[in-house]
Amino acid sequence: MTQPPPITGFPAILALFLFAALLAGIFICVSVFLGPRRPSRAKGMPYESGMNPIGAARQQFPVHFYVVAMVFIIFDIETIFMYPWAILLRAHAGQFSLGRFGLVEMGIFMAILLVGYVYMLKKGAIEWD
């Protein structure tokens, strides 16, 4: 008795995706149709650590907060890109052309980041006045 060959490649991925979508749909339908519906005023109120909400639910944050957060993410990602570059540069240090190219490439990358950082300082993007 021979066994059929296992499903591999894209059909296997498609079958897994369809199965996951079907299962998620079933779970959502079951919870919608069988779940209890007892709305109340307390359930409709916003949750603030067990305390009654004070003031409006929407507060405006200064855009400056988001700018500083985005700048932090950009420089954090830049630091993450430097580690694999340093590993590859060390591996190719014996080959003069590859090591030199990697060093020049990172110099250009750092120069672009430095220009952006200077521009950000000139615009006052990270001052908390």
Side-chain angles (χ1 to χ4, degrees), residues 10 14 18 21 41 61 65 79 89 91 95-96 98 115 119 128-129:
F10 288 117
L14 180 64
L18 290 175
R41 186 170 189 264
F61 288 98
F65 174 78
T79 305
L89 184 68
Q95 300 169 350
F96 184 69
L98 287 177
V115 167
Y119 176 78
W128 285 102
D129 292 334

Side-chain angles (χ1 to χ4, degrees), residues 18-30:
L18 290 175
F19 178 72
L22 178 71
L23 196 60
I26 289 171
F27 286 154
I28 289 172
C29 289
V30 166

Side-chain angles (χ1 to χ4, degrees), residues 28-96:
I28 289 172
C29 289
V30 166
S31 68
V32 165
F33 293 123
L34 298 180
R37 291 190 188 107
R38 295 185 197 109
S40 68
R41 186 170 189 264
K43 289 180 184 179
M45 291 179 62
Y47 180 76
E48 293 193 17
S49 302
M51 299 177 64
N52 290 331
I54 299 171
R58 292 193 175 264
Q59 287 182 344
Q60 289 184 347
F61 288 98
V63 175
H64 192 74
F65 174 78
Y66 298 107
V67 170
V68 170
M70 286 188 291
V71 167
F72 172 76
I73 289 171
I74 288 170
F75 283 103
D76 189 40
I77 290 172
E78 171 244 331
T79 305
I80 290 170
F81 280 143
M82 288 178 128
Y83 183 73
W85 168 82
I87 298 297
L88 287 174
L89 184 68
R90 186 174 187 185
H92 295 291
Q95 300 169 350
F96 184 69

